[in-house]
Amino acid sequence: MRILLFPWLFLIPLLQILSVRHFLLASGQCLEDQRSLLLELKNTLTFSSTSSTKLVLWNSSSDCCLWDRVGCDTTGHVIRLELENQAISGQLENSSGLFNLQYLERLNLAFNSFSSTIPTGLSKLANLTYLNLSDAGFVGQIPRDLARMSRLVTLDLSTRFPGVQPLEMENPNLQTLIQNLMELQELYLDGVNISAQGGEWCNALSFLPNLREVSLSSCYLSGPISSSLSELHSLSVINLNDNNLLTTVPDFFANFS
């Protein structure tokens, strides 16, 4: 028994060292250039110091990986920004602090009041897998540049509040926007003015083999619903509420397993 215990006694200090090392890596100590970019972003944003309770705490004297609404990888690069519902207004078009966060994988700007077009600079964030701009106050034409964000898994551009000026999808149209987003699994465009007939929007969606959820309520869509949708073998949720489809529910919907 004594012989069996000896190796374990020897390993305990080693395991403790490895555990501490893992914790230090997992904390993702902030890199100076990443902190500078975040502070530059903060300085370009317009927000209320009383309502934006998270942003006001960002400062140069602390580890940015520990800032609320910020997440880093183990090397200290910022990979996550959760800035939803922070009473942010103004424009992002010239926000180099945001667009130079090249390791960013997740960006959430939902429920703010930007009152501007979606900035084309977002397309520089080539590693984004999650982009949520829902009810963020963006207006006008959705930029063609978003079509270059080929790693996106989730895209949410929804506007659900009644009376709010909707985003528009004319040039690019739906197919042009999403045909290169082959990793997309979740697509939410509620309230976006797509204005497309059945063959057009159905065929556009059929380009996305991994699509699991799609929500297109109040998008000014018309029918008929094309059988090309049956190509979406992973589809589990489809919302076509408040459109003008004027068609019957197709029989092939029963084949969605």
Side-chain angles (χ1 to χ4, degrees):
M1 181 67 69
R2 214 174 281 166
I3 294 174
L4 291 173
L5 280 174
F6 181 78
W8 289 105
L9 291 173
F10 174 80
L11 283 172
I12 287 173
L14 178 61
L15 291 172
Q16 289 175 333
I17 292 171
L18 291 175
S19 177
V20 171
R21 176 175 172 79
H22 175 73
F23 175 78
L24 291 174
L25 288 174
S27 68
Q29 186 174 3
C30 180
L31 298 174
E32 184 56 40
D33 71 307
Q34 300 290 283
R35 176 169 34 229
S36 297
L37 290 172
L38 288 175
L39 290 176
E40 183 181 344
L41 169 61
K42 176 185 176 181
N43 291 333
T44 61
L45 296 176
T46 302
F47 60 91
S48 166
S49 59
T50 55
S51 301
S52 305
T53 56
K54 313 302 180 185
L55 281 171
V56 293
L57 300 178
W58 291 11
N59 62 78
S60 59
S61 62
S62 59
D63 184 347
C64 71
C65 293
L66 301 179
W67 294 352
D68 204 351
R69 305 300 180 98
V70 175
C72 297
D73 61 16
T74 55
T75 62
H77 292 105
V78 175
I79 60 172
R80 179 173 56 84
L81 276 181
E82 306 284 351
L83 297 179
E84 76 280 6
N85 200 26
Q86 287 296 292
I88 303 171
S89 59
Q91 298 186 3
L92 281 174
E93 189 60 50
N94 298 315
S95 183
S96 58
L98 173 61
F99 306 144
N100 286 320
L101 290 169
Q102 294 298 302
Y103 293 85
L104 204 61
E105 298 175 4
R106 183 180 176 94
L107 177 61
N108 189 347
L109 298 175
F111 301 105
N112 285 294
S113 303
F114 286 100
S115 300
S116 64
T117 55
I118 295 175
T120 58
L122 287 176
S123 64
K124 297 179 181 178
L125 302 174
N127 288 309
L128 274 191
T129 61
Y130 177 95
L131 178 60
N132 188 347
L133 305 180
S134 62
D135 295 299
F138 291 112
V139 297
Q141 174 64 42
I142 295 171
R144 178 183 295 269
D145 302 71
L146 294 189
R148 302 206 303 260
M149 306 178 75
S150 59
R151 296 190 180 183
L152 281 178
V153 175
T154 298
L155 176 61
D156 192 342
L157 303 177
S158 303
T159 301
R160 303 178 184 89
F161 295 139
V164 176
Q165 182 180 352
L167 286 165
E168 300 171 0
M169 192 174 293
E170 182 177 354
N171 183 23
N173 59 20
L174 180 62
Q175 180 167 329
T176 302
L177 179 70
I178 66 176
Q179 64 184 354
N180 296 322
L181 309 184
M182 302 303 290
E183 302 298 320
L184 208 60
Q185 297 181 20
E186 299 175 338
L187 177 63
Y188 308 102
L189 298 175
D190 303 285
V192 175
N193 186 354
I194 297 176
S195 297
Q197 295 183 341
E200 182 181 345
W201 62 265
C202 291
N203 290 338
L205 294 177
S206 68
F207 277 88
L208 305 176
N210 299 311
L211 198 62
R212 294 189 295 106
E213 296 189 13
V214 58
S215 193
L216 301 174
S217 65
S218 304
C219 288
Y220 302 93
L221 302 178
S222 59
I225 298 176
S226 169
S227 60
S228 59
L229 283 186
S230 63
E231 300 297 320
L232 300 176
H233 302 297
S234 299
L235 194 66
S236 59
V237 174
I238 182 168
N239 179 11
L240 301 173
N241 193 41
D242 292 325
N243 285 294
N244 191 28
L245 300 177
L246 293 178
T247 187
T248 58
V249 178
D251 292 338
F252 68 82
F253 269 32
N255 299 328
F256 289 127
S257 58

